[in-house]
Amino acid sequence: MPMPAKAVLLVHGGAGVINPDSMSGALEARYKNKLGDALVAGHKVLKAGGASLDAVVAAVKVLEDSPLFNAGKGAVLTRDKRIELDAAIMDGASLQAGAVGAITNVKNPITAARAVMEHTEHVMLIGKGAEVFLRNIAKKIGLTLVEPDYFVTARRLEQLEDALAREVERFDSTRSHKGLKLRKRRRAVGFDENKFGTVGAVALDEAGNLAAATSTGGITAKRYGRIGDSPLIGSGTYADNNTCAVSCTGHGEYFIRHVASYDVCARMKYLNEPVSKAVKQVISSLGKAGGDGGMIALDRHGNAVMSFNTSGMFRGAITEDGEVSVAIYCD
């Protein structure tokens, strides 16, 4: 989709193998409508004079609350049927950041990440330590606590079963009838849900401040305790008023190794590259290394980039005057 002349908010809902010939029109409309809802929610904050931090939280919460995406409600499951959620947020004005990893008890993980940023001296808390902190502070700051079962959906349970069955198939030269059914079902959905996920937002407010936020359930059938790039500042999430705000999605291990989001900002800062060129170079490097995914980026002038090296990325932008544009497939 064409980039808006001046964007104030971008969102993404994951990049991966997305086949337009297999996705139904109704399902495509649901994804686009929810991306639009997230953009409108964030834009409402900005139009009222709110901060970019508040805007990215508002946008990401909409996507976390939708079981369509791999974040919050409807996130993917670990191989032992657990929910482990990661999220991060960063303020481009102060370079303050907060992140959580492998949490199970806050309805909107992005609010948990912000709590770490604003109510501790740390950048990241994970697992039980994070959950104890969040439980103790929840009432004071208005966090919504839930039981882990809140996040689990039948769709994700089925997806986990399919993923585990594929592992068995790799060691079995005889293709079972059941295996054929699994492959047919994945094609019918329209995309490989094991290879995309994560939601994110970047915003620019009236004061010229940038912010970035990212939230994910990780990878289907991931090992207990696995942390991807999303909550790692500089890998999946980064914001600096001097350059840009970035939120990533894709195969996290590659984004970690390439310090992807910071690399975009570093190229702008040290090589004087525009945000469009910096993002293109980083995505190209990731692709050459074997890393699938994409990112959204917004510079301090409102120049927007949404780039990916897969067949599609759920994405959208909204301008200062409220013009919304959303897309899924390659332009």
Side-chain angles (χ1 to χ4, degrees):
M1 70 191 224
M3 289 296 101
K6 293 291 180 180
V8 295
L9 180 73
L10 308 178
V11 298
H12 71 76
V17 180
I18 310 173
N19 184 358
D21 295 328
S22 299
M23 183 180 290
S24 71
L27 182 58
E28 181 177 321
R30 287 176 63 198
Y31 274 105
K32 288 185 174 181
N33 288 339
K34 192 55 63 176
L35 290 169
D37 291 344
L39 290 166
V40 169
H43 183 258
K44 182 178 180 180
V45 172
L46 296 171
K47 288 299 288 183
S52 54
L53 275 173
D54 295 324
V56 294
V57 169
V60 168
K61 284 175 67 176
V62 171
L63 301 178
E64 288 179 333
D65 289 343
S66 170
L68 289 172
F69 301 97
N70 176 19
K73 178 74 171 179
V76 301
L77 299 168
T78 66
R79 63 191 307 107
D80 53 352
K81 297 184 179 181
R82 292 170 54 90
I83 282 286
E84 294 185 353
L85 306 172
D86 307 333
I89 191 168
M90 187 165 184
D91 176 14
S94 64
L95 300 188
Q96 292 295 306
V100 290
I103 66 168
T104 67
N105 66 338
V106 176
K107 180 183 179 185
N108 293 107
I110 196 62
T111 63
R114 187 170 186 175
V116 172
M117 179 178 72
E118 296 181 339
H119 298 281
T120 79
E121 67 274 30
H122 307 303
V123 171
M124 176 184 280
L125 293 177
I126 66 170
K128 292 190 179 299
E131 292 182 349
V132 170
F133 161 71
L134 295 166
R135 191 177 301 114
N136 289 339
I137 202 172
K139 186 174 182 180
K140 177 182 178 181
I141 66 173
L143 289 179
T144 302
L145 299 179
V146 294
E147 293 298 322
D149 287 350
Y150 161 79
F151 301 104
V152 180
T153 63
R155 168 191 174 202
R156 296 304 190 186
L157 283 167
E158 182 180 84
Q159 183 182 338
L160 175 62
E161 292 173 359
D162 285 1
L164 295 177
R166 283 199 301 278
E167 289 188 7
V168 173
E169 287 180 3
R170 293 191 189 104
F171 296 97
D172 184 358
S173 60
T174 303
R175 299 302 182 183
S176 67
H177 180 60
K178 179 180 179 182
L180 291 172
K181 282 186 176 180
L182 292 173
R183 286 189 292 277
K184 287 178 181 178
R185 183 164 62 211
R186 290 196 297 273
R187 286 196 297 269
V189 171
F191 46 83
D192 187 341
E193 295 186 283
N194 294 292
K195 294 184 179 179
F196 84 93
T198 305
V199 303
V202 294
L204 174 66
D205 62 28
E206 292 180 354
N209 294 319
L210 291 163
T214 314
S215 180
T216 189
I219 298 174
T220 299
K222 65 183 181 181
R223 295 191 179 278
Y224 174 63
R226 180 262 186 186
I227 300 293
D229 67 301
S230 297
L232 300 185
I233 302 304
S235 293
T237 308
Y238 201 78
D240 182 347
N241 277 5
N242 293 311
T243 51
C244 66
V246 185
S247 176
C248 303
T249 173
H251 194 155
E253 280 69 15
Y254 290 90
F255 284 75
I256 294 170
R257 294 175 191 133
H258 287 254
V259 200
S261 60
Y262 179 72
D263 196 19
V264 172
C265 294
R267 296 186 72 92
M268 294 179 66
K269 183 176 182 180
Y270 300 119
L271 298 178
N272 293 315
E273 291 182 351
V275 65
S276 57
K277 182 176 180 180
V279 168
K280 181 179 180 181
Q281 293 295 328
V282 173
I283 290 295
S284 176
S285 295
L286 286 165
K288 290 176 181 177
D292 293 338
M295 60 176 63
I296 56 174
L298 189 63
D299 75 9
R300 59 195 180 99
H301 303 294
N303 297 308
V305 184
M306 295 182 278
S307 183
F308 49 98
N309 59 19
T310 58
S311 61
M313 181 169 76
F314 296 100
R315 63 200 188 276
I318 190 166
T319 61
E320 185 176 3
D321 62 6
E323 182 181 350
V324 173
S325 54
V326 296
I328 300 176
Y329 314 111
C330 293
D331 295 331

